[in-house]
Amino acid sequence: DAKTTQPNSMESNEEEPVHLPCNHSTISGTDYIHWYRQLPSQGPEYVIHGLTSNVNNRMASLAIAEDRKSSTLILHRATLRDAAVYYCILRVEKLTFGTGTRLTIIP
Amino acid sequence: ETGVTQSPTHLIKTRGQQVTLRCSSQSGHNTVSWYQQALGQGPQFIFQYYREEENGRGNFPPRFSGLQFPNYSSELNVNALELDDSALYLCASSLPLGEQFFGPGTRLTVL
């Protein structure tokens, strides 16, 4: 499986945008980029996914580099409820989670 | 629409025992995946079932086995429990290749 690299942790102030980076230099042409997040004491939840084009949904935006070797999850206005571990994943039928980025939101 | 549910919430077993964990899929989903999450780590894929057949397996020994029933609910069985099996066990239901919906997990402690 293609591997992803994410920072271990990030902090952001409440109500400000958050940019969570992910490197995936060995991505194959058919790998979709998926983001899941895991809130404390809960199972992971789907956030967004994309292949080549930037994607938006009600939760977040996904910006994908032109060479697809990196991507950025954008939370437009972070709230305390967005504090979670965010996982960037390249497979869909079998999700291969890394250790993710622990996002802390500062009130 | 009922989400993914798992039972029990917590479980304590001793080394060498056997355990069965249960998962009810979200309505309409025919695929279920099981994951093991050790403390401080991301979930690790155990196996996936599609229409009652195993459809992929991660790097787990044969003492981890599963079943999927005609109503798409599922069981994870672990035999000969070891201390390292202590973890949060997550199931996720989906349509094939679709977004996975996770349950809250079962916390297993092996003493």
Side-chain angles (χ1 to χ4, degrees):
Chain A
D1 290 338
K3 197 172 177 181
T4 61
T5 304
Q6 299 177 252
N8 289 332
S9 62
M10 291 183 64
E11 286 186 350
S12 179
N13 293 320
E14 193 178 10
E15 298 187 6
E16 290 187 355
V18 181
H19 287 66
L20 296 163
C22 180
N23 288 320
H24 28 77
S25 58
T26 58
I27 190 171
S28 74
T30 56
D31 281 338
Y32 279 79
I33 301 158
H34 289 248
W35 284 81
Y36 279 73
R37 71 179 185 181
Q38 189 169 20
L39 279 65
S41 302
Q42 295 187 27
E45 66 174 347
Y46 168 83
V47 178
I48 200 167
H49 76 279
L51 183 62
T52 55
S53 304
N54 294 343
V55 184
N56 301 295
N57 66 21
R58 63 175 180 81
M59 289 180 70
S61 295
L62 177 60
I64 301 171
E66 198 169 329
D67 63 7
R68 300 208 330 122
K69 293 186 176 182
S70 65
S71 60
T72 302
L73 178 70
I74 302 165
L75 307 179
H76 294 287
R77 197 162 166 268
T79 69
L80 295 177
R81 198 198 171 276
D82 292 320
V85 178
Y86 286 79
Y87 297 98
C88 168
I89 301 162
L90 295 186
R91 291 292 295 271
V92 66
E93 70 274 19
K94 165 189 148 185
L95 295 176
T96 302
F97 290 82
T99 52
T101 296
R102 182 172 299 278
L103 177 64
T104 300
I105 305 298
I106 302 167
Chain B
E1 185 180 86
T2 307
V4 178
T5 60
Q6 292 186 243
S7 62
T9 307
H10 297 86
L11 199 52
I12 299 175
K13 291 285 189 178
T14 56
R15 203 166 39 175
Q17 285 188 311
Q18 178 267 340
V19 69
T20 297
L21 310 181
R22 294 179 175 83
C23 173
S24 290
S25 298
Q26 184 159 313
S27 177
H29 287 177
N30 56 15
T31 302
V32 65
S33 305
W34 285 90
Y35 296 82
Q36 179 195 66
Q37 186 173 23
L39 209 57
Q41 302 296 314
Q44 299 300 306
F45 175 74
I46 303 174
F47 44 58
Q48 182 181 85
Y49 279 80
Y50 169 65
R51 291 188 173 181
E52 304 177 57
E53 297 287 331
E54 189 177 292
N55 184 39
R57 189 177 183 93
N59 190 26
F60 281 81
R63 59 190 185 84
F64 286 78
S65 63
L67 278 175
Q68 187 181 30
F69 300 100
N71 66 356
Y72 303 131
S73 66
S74 176
E75 286 182 354
L76 164 66
N77 298 289
V78 187
N79 293 322
L81 283 167
E82 301 177 0
L83 296 179
D84 284 349
D85 295 334
S86 293
L88 180 69
Y89 288 85
L90 296 158
C91 82
S93 75
S94 66
L95 294 172
L97 303 183
E99 171 192 341
Q100 296 198 6
F101 292 81
F102 284 81
T106 293
R107 173 74 61 189
L108 172 65
T109 302
V110 182
L111 303 175

Short mmCIF file of all heavy atoms in Angstrom, two decimals, chain A residues 15-39:
data_model
loop_
_atom_site.label_atom_id
_atom_site.label_comp_id
_atom_site.label_asym_id
_atom_site.label_seq_id
_atom_site.Cartn_x
_atom_site.Cartn_y
_atom_site.Cartn_z
N GLU A 15 -12.25 29.17 15.47
CA GLU A 15 -12.82 30.07 14.46
C GLU A 15 -11.82 30.51 13.40
O GLU A 15 -12.13 31.38 12.60
CB GLU A 15 -13.51 31.27 15.12
CG GLU A 15 -14.68 30.87 16.02
CD GLU A 15 -15.46 32.05 16.55
OE1 GLU A 15 -15.17 33.19 16.14
OE2 GLU A 15 -16.37 31.83 17.36
N GLU A 16 -10.65 29.92 13.38
CA GLU A 16 -9.68 30.21 12.32
C GLU A 16 -9.57 29.01 11.38
O GLU A 16 -9.89 27.88 11.76
CB GLU A 16 -8.31 30.53 12.91
CG GLU A 16 -8.30 31.87 13.64
CD GLU A 16 -6.90 32.27 14.07
OE1 GLU A 16 -5.96 31.46 13.88
OE2 GLU A 16 -6.76 33.38 14.61
N PRO A 17 -9.10 29.22 10.14
CA PRO A 17 -8.94 28.09 9.22
C PRO A 17 -7.77 27.20 9.65
O PRO A 17 -6.81 27.68 10.26
CB PRO A 17 -8.65 28.76 7.88
CG PRO A 17 -8.15 30.11 8.22
CD PRO A 17 -8.80 30.51 9.51
N VAL A 18 -7.90 25.91 9.32
CA VAL A 18 -6.84 24.94 9.63
C VAL A 18 -6.47 24.22 8.34
O VAL A 18 -7.35 23.80 7.58
CB VAL A 18 -7.34 23.89 10.65
CG1 VAL A 18 -6.21 22.91 10.97
CG2 VAL A 18 -7.85 24.56 11.92
N HIS A 19 -5.17 24.11 8.11
CA HIS A 19 -4.67 23.40 6.93
C HIS A 19 -3.88 22.18 7.42
O HIS A 19 -2.81 22.33 8.02
CB HIS A 19 -3.78 24.31 6.09
CG HIS A 19 -4.52 25.37 5.35
ND1 HIS A 19 -5.18 26.39 5.99
CD2 HIS A 19 -4.72 25.57 4.03
CE1 HIS A 19 -5.76 27.18 5.09
NE2 HIS A 19 -5.50 26.70 3.90
N LEU A 20 -4.39 21.00 7.15
CA LEU A 20 -3.74 19.76 7.59
C LEU A 20 -3.06 19.11 6.38
O LEU A 20 -3.72 18.66 5.45
CB LEU A 20 -4.77 18.80 8.18
CG LEU A 20 -5.45 19.30 9.46
CD1 LEU A 20 -6.72 18.52 9.74
CD2 LEU A 20 -4.49 19.17 10.63
N PRO A 21 -1.71 19.03 6.39
CA PRO A 21 -1.00 18.50 5.22
C PRO A 21 -0.84 16.99 5.25
O PRO A 21 -0.85 16.37 6.32
CB PRO A 21 0.36 19.18 5.32
CG PRO A 21 0.58 19.31 6.80
CD PRO A 21 -0.79 19.53 7.42
N CYS A 22 -0.68 16.41 4.06
CA CYS A 22 -0.42 14.98 3.92
C CYS A 22 0.47 14.77 2.70
O CYS A 22 0.16 15.27 1.62
CB CYS A 22 -1.72 14.22 3.77
SG CYS A 22 -1.51 12.42 3.61
N ASN A 23 1.57 14.06 2.89
CA ASN A 23 2.43 13.70 1.77
C ASN A 23 2.20 12.24 1.38
O ASN A 23 2.12 11.37 2.26
CB ASN A 23 3.90 13.90 2.14
CG ASN A 23 4.26 15.37 2.21
OD1 ASN A 23 3.81 16.17 1.40
ND2 ASN A 23 5.04 15.75 3.20
N HIS A 24 2.11 11.99 0.09
CA HIS A 24 1.90 10.63 -0.41
C HIS A 24 2.64 10.51 -1.74
O HIS A 24 2.02 10.38 -2.81
CB HIS A 24 0.41 10.28 -0.55
CG HIS A 24 -0.50 11.44 -0.80
ND1 HIS A 24 -0.62 12.04 -2.05
CD2 HIS A 24 -1.32 12.12 0.04
CE1 HIS A 24 -1.50 13.01 -1.97
NE2 HIS A 24 -1.93 13.10 -0.71
N SER A 25 3.96 10.52 -1.66
CA SER A 25 4.79 10.60 -2.87
C SER A 25 4.73 9.34 -3.72
O SER A 25 5.07 9.38 -4.89
CB SER A 25 6.24 10.91 -2.49
OG SER A 25 6.72 9.93 -1.61
N THR A 26 4.31 8.19 -3.13
CA THR A 26 4.27 6.94 -3.90
C THR A 26 2.84 6.60 -4.35
O THR A 26 2.57 5.46 -4.71
CB THR A 26 4.84 5.78 -3.07
OG1 THR A 26 4.07 5.66 -1.86
CG2 THR A 26 6.29 6.02 -2.72
N ILE A 27 1.98 7.57 -4.38
CA ILE A 27 0.59 7.35 -4.77
C ILE A 27 0.52 6.82 -6.20
O ILE A 27 1.30 7.23 -7.07
CB ILE A 27 -0.23 8.65 -4.61
CG1 ILE A 27 -1.73 8.39 -4.76
CG2 ILE A 27 0.26 9.72 -5.57
CD1 ILE A 27 -2.60 9.59 -4.38
N SER A 28 -0.40 5.89 -6.45
CA SER A 28 -0.57 5.39 -7.81
C SER A 28 -1.71 6.17 -8.48
O SER A 28 -2.46 6.88 -7.82
CB SER A 28 -0.91 3.90 -7.80
OG SER A 28 -2.24 3.71 -7.36
N GLY A 29 -1.81 6.01 -9.80
CA GLY A 29 -2.77 6.80 -10.55
C GLY A 29 -4.22 6.55 -10.19
O GLY A 29 -5.07 7.41 -10.40
N THR A 30 -4.51 5.39 -9.59
CA THR A 30 -5.89 5.05 -9.29
C THR A 30 -6.23 5.18 -7.81
O THR A 30 -7.34 4.90 -7.40
CB THR A 30 -6.20 3.61 -9.73
OG1 THR A 30 -5.27 2.74 -9.08
CG2 THR A 30 -6.09 3.47 -11.23
N ASP A 31 -5.26 5.59 -6.99
CA ASP A 31 -5.52 5.73 -5.56
C ASP A 31 -6.32 7.00 -5.28
O ASP A 31 -5.87 8.10 -5.63
CB ASP A 31 -4.20 5.81 -4.77
CG ASP A 31 -3.56 4.46 -4.55
OD1 ASP A 31 -4.27 3.44 -4.62
OD2 ASP A 31 -2.34 4.42 -4.31
N TYR A 32 -7.45 6.83 -4.63
CA TYR A 32 -8.18 7.98 -4.12
C TYR A 32 -7.56 8.41 -2.78
O TYR A 32 -7.01 7.59 -2.05
CB TYR A 32 -9.65 7.63 -3.88
CG TYR A 32 -10.49 7.67 -5.13
CD1 TYR A 32 -10.47 6.64 -6.05
CD2 TYR A 32 -11.33 8.76 -5.38
CE1 TYR A 32 -11.24 6.68 -7.19
CE2 TYR A 32 -12.11 8.81 -6.52
CZ TYR A 32 -12.06 7.77 -7.42
OH TYR A 32 -12.83 7.82 -8.56
N ILE A 33 -7.63 9.68 -2.50
CA ILE A 33 -7.15 10.24 -1.24
C ILE A 33 -8.37 10.42 -0.34
O ILE A 33 -9.31 11.14 -0.69
CB ILE A 33 -6.46 11.59 -1.46
CG1 ILE A 33 -5.28 11.42 -2.41
CG2 ILE A 33 -6.00 12.18 -0.12
CD1 ILE A 33 -4.87 12.71 -3.09
N HIS A 34 -8.37 9.73 0.79
CA HIS A 34 -9.48 9.79 1.74
C HIS A 34 -8.99 10.43 3.03
O HIS A 34 -7.86 10.20 3.47
CB HIS A 34 -9.99 8.39 2.07
CG HIS A 34 -10.72 7.74 0.95
ND1 HIS A 34 -12.07 7.49 1.00
CD2 HIS A 34 -10.30 7.31 -0.25
CE1 HIS A 34 -12.45 6.91 -0.12
NE2 HIS A 34 -11.40 6.79 -0.91
N TRP A 35 -9.87 11.17 3.67
CA TRP A 35 -9.61 11.70 5.01
C TRP A 35 -10.73 11.22 5.94
O TRP A 35 -11.93 11.32 5.62
CB TRP A 35 -9.56 13.22 5.01
CG TRP A 35 -8.29 13.78 4.45
CD1 TRP A 35 -7.97 13.94 3.13
CD2 TRP A 35 -7.16 14.27 5.18
NE1 TRP A 35 -6.72 14.49 3.01
CE2 TRP A 35 -6.20 14.71 4.25
CE3 TRP A 35 -6.87 14.38 6.55
CZ2 TRP A 35 -4.97 15.25 4.64
CZ3 TRP A 35 -5.66 14.92 6.92
CH2 TRP A 35 -4.71 15.35 5.98
N TYR A 36 -10.28 10.68 7.06
CA TYR A 36 -11.19 10.32 8.14
C TYR A 36 -10.69 11.03 9.39
O TYR A 36 -9.52 11.41 9.49
CB TYR A 36 -11.18 8.80 8.40
CG TYR A 36 -12.02 8.00 7.44
CD1 TYR A 36 -11.61 7.81 6.12
CD2 TYR A 36 -13.22 7.44 7.85
CE1 TYR A 36 -12.39 7.08 5.24
CE2 TYR A 36 -14.00 6.69 6.98
CZ TYR A 36 -13.58 6.53 5.67
OH TYR A 36 -14.36 5.81 4.79
N ARG A 37 -11.59 11.22 10.35
CA ARG A 37 -11.16 11.77 11.62
C ARG A 37 -11.77 10.94 12.75
O ARG A 37 -12.81 10.29 12.57
CB ARG A 37 -11.55 13.23 11.76
CG ARG A 37 -13.04 13.49 11.95
CD ARG A 37 -13.30 14.97 12.09
NE ARG A 37 -14.71 15.25 12.40
CZ ARG A 37 -15.20 16.48 12.56
NH1 ARG A 37 -14.40 17.54 12.44
NH2 ARG A 37 -16.47 16.65 12.85
N GLN A 38 -11.09 10.95 13.88
CA GLN A 38 -11.55 10.19 15.03
C GLN A 38 -11.61 11.11 16.23
O GLN A 38 -10.57 11.55 16.74
CB GLN A 38 -10.62 9.00 15.30
CG GLN A 38 -11.15 8.05 16.36
CD GLN A 38 -10.34 6.77 16.41
OE1 GLN A 38 -9.20 6.70 15.95
NE2 GLN A 38 -10.93 5.72 16.99
N LEU A 39 -12.83 11.40 16.65
CA LEU A 39 -13.02 12.20 17.84
C LEU A 39 -12.77 11.34 19.07
O LEU A 39 -12.85 10.10 19.00
CB LEU A 39 -14.46 12.76 17.87
CG LEU A 39 -14.71 14.02 17.03
CD1 LEU A 39 -14.54 13.75 15.55
CD2 LEU A 39 -16.10 14.58 17.30
#
